[in-house]
Amino acid sequence: MNRSTTAKMAAISALALGLTACGGDDAGGGGAAAGGEEAYEVAFVQGVAGDEFYITMQCGIEEAAEELGVEVTTQGAQQFDPALQTPIVDSVVASSPDGLLIAPTDVSAMYRPIKAAADAGITVGLVDTTLEDPSMAVTQVASDNEGGGAAAFQAIQEANPDGGKVLVVGHEPGISTNELRIKGFLDALAEDPKFTALPTQYAQNEVAEGARIVTSTLQAHPDLIGIFGTNLFAAEGAATGLRQANAADRVTVVGFDAGPAQVEALENGTVQALVAQQPAEIGKQGLEQVVAALNGEEPEAEIQTGFTILTQENLADNQDAVYRSDC
Ligand code: T6T
């Protein structure tokens, strides 16, 4: 990537940094501990355990919990899988906390268990991902996923003004963020006839699968000029595949997220840009809204958080955008 490209990316970054919030309508909720005599108990259920995005979100939630005097527990399944997340939610419901913050792993399959939590009187907030019918939640806090997808295309476009073939490596169908990021990317691509998108493939949240997709696509399409990895695993997989195929110098990779391994790939030039979300902020704001509802105040129904486009050039100035491996 040349200097003018990175300068343009820095401009995108500046635009993208703003936080936007959409005001909400009224919402229910009510806590067992209103009045402040006992600390509220809130369960946080991650999309998956061990993912630096959700670890960083947990850090934000724990910091906010300390300020708010709330007790928080965190759990996550070993895979992004509604069949594994459902029993965790069921056990949360059995333990009757005041609130539940959750990143649902499927837009429809997670409806029943989360609705059951709300029906049991637990105040529900959705963080990061959402449901087809999120009406049981008092708040939804997430990045501008569609905007992030569009910004990812813009980064590829700016590095390749002559256009060419690009590949989207998605994380997994059924996860709301996957759909929104791909939509944002492909809608932006459709505006520029110099680019064509190969059929989207899915890494299924496995780095090895992302790498396999990229090496086999490069064999069939040696003229590929860009790859968009829609989350940490897809993007890490894309970078791994490119290294395996010795193609890092001729393909632009833009990934969502900013885990430590992704940042290393940015530093060593395998990846050209990262769409860093604000997971700690998502968690913090989710907890604040759930606590507001528990206190009988009106929570914001929808909050959209911003992102930073990280490049080699601006990384040093944006170290706080890098995700954490522990709190
Ligand atoms: O990209 C994040 C998150 O926003 C998405 O919903 C699922 O994947 C991540 O957790 C990264 O692995």
Side-chain angles (χ1 to χ4, degrees):
M1 194 179 340
N2 61 31
R3 287 205 159 264
S4 71
T5 301
T6 44
K8 281 183 214 154
M9 285 187 179
I12 301 173
S13 162
L15 281 176
L17 266 166
L19 281 182
T20 50
C22 318
D25 50 26
D26 65 337
E37 284 151 24
E38 256 178 66
Y40 290 129
E41 287 172 17
V42 175
F44 169 43
V45 178
Q46 300 167 313
V48 70
D51 174 340
E52 284 117 356
F53 173 84
Y54 293 116
I55 292 171
T56 309
M57 187 181 292
Q58 176 184 353
C59 303
I61 291 172
E62 286 174 355
E63 277 164 31
E66 211 168 305
E67 275 171 31
L68 293 163
V70 171
E71 282 173 21
V72 171
T73 55
T74 298
Q75 299 173 70
Q78 292 307 312
Q79 286 168 22
F80 273 103
D81 184 347
L84 300 180
Q85 195 178 44
T86 295
I88 294 179
V89 177
D90 291 347
S91 80
V92 163
V93 174
S95 71
S96 307
D98 302 294
L100 167 65
L101 279 175
I102 181 165
T105 48
D106 188 279
V107 287
S108 54
M110 289 311 300
Y111 176 81
R112 186 208 58 77
I114 298 175
K115 177 74 165 64
D119 289 346
I122 299 169
T123 299
V124 174
L126 302 182
V127 279
D128 175 42
T129 49
T130 188
L131 296 165
E132 262 158 23
D133 176 2
S135 55
M136 83 292 275
V138 300
T139 191
Q140 298 181 70
V141 187
S143 299
D144 175 6
N145 286 294
E146 214 175 311
F153 173 71
Q154 240 174 313
I156 291 181
Q157 186 183 40
E158 286 166 3
N160 301 275
D162 296 336
K165 274 185 203 167
V166 299
L167 172 69
V168 176
V169 182
H171 43 295
E172 196 165 341
I175 302 179
S176 61
T177 49
N178 174 78
E179 263 67 85
L180 289 166
R181 292 171 195 172
I182 295 175
K183 180 178 186 312
F185 184 90
L186 293 180
D187 284 356
L189 180 143
E191 305 272 304
D192 186 341
K194 292 195 293 304
F195 287 85
T196 51
L198 295 172
T200 298
Q201 298 187 59
Y202 297 95
Q204 307 294 345
N205 292 299
E206 297 285 346
V207 172
E209 182 56 11
R212 191 203 61 72
I213 289 169
V214 166
T215 50
S216 69
T217 302
L218 276 168
Q219 273 167 11
H221 301 279
D223 54 344
L224 189 75
I225 57 100
I227 302 176
F228 172 39
T230 63
N231 82 341
L232 186 144
F233 302 104
E236 267 187 48
T240 306
L242 266 194
R243 273 196 302 270
Q244 288 167 352
N246 275 326
D249 52 344
R250 59 185 161 92
V251 181
T252 305
V253 182
V254 178
F256 234 87
D257 295 308
Q262 291 177 281
V263 170
E264 208 181 302
L266 184 69
E267 281 167 339
N268 71 30
T270 316
V271 166
Q272 279 64 51
L274 295 173
V275 184
Q277 305 186 73
Q278 300 177 329
E281 191 61 27
I282 294 173
K284 171 180 180 273
Q285 296 208 33
L287 184 67
E288 286 171 354
Q289 297 309 314
V290 162
V291 168
L294 287 166
N295 285 339
E297 295 156 18
E298 193 169 302
E300 287 200 48
E302 272 186 56
I303 297 176
Q304 195 172 75
T305 53
F307 51 80
T308 308
I309 307 293
L310 293 180
T311 62
Q312 260 185 9
E313 307 257 311
N314 71 11
L315 182 60
D317 294 335
N318 287 289
Q319 281 299 309
D320 55 351
V322 178
Y323 300 176
R324 295 162 69 171
S325 305
D326 52 52
C327 295

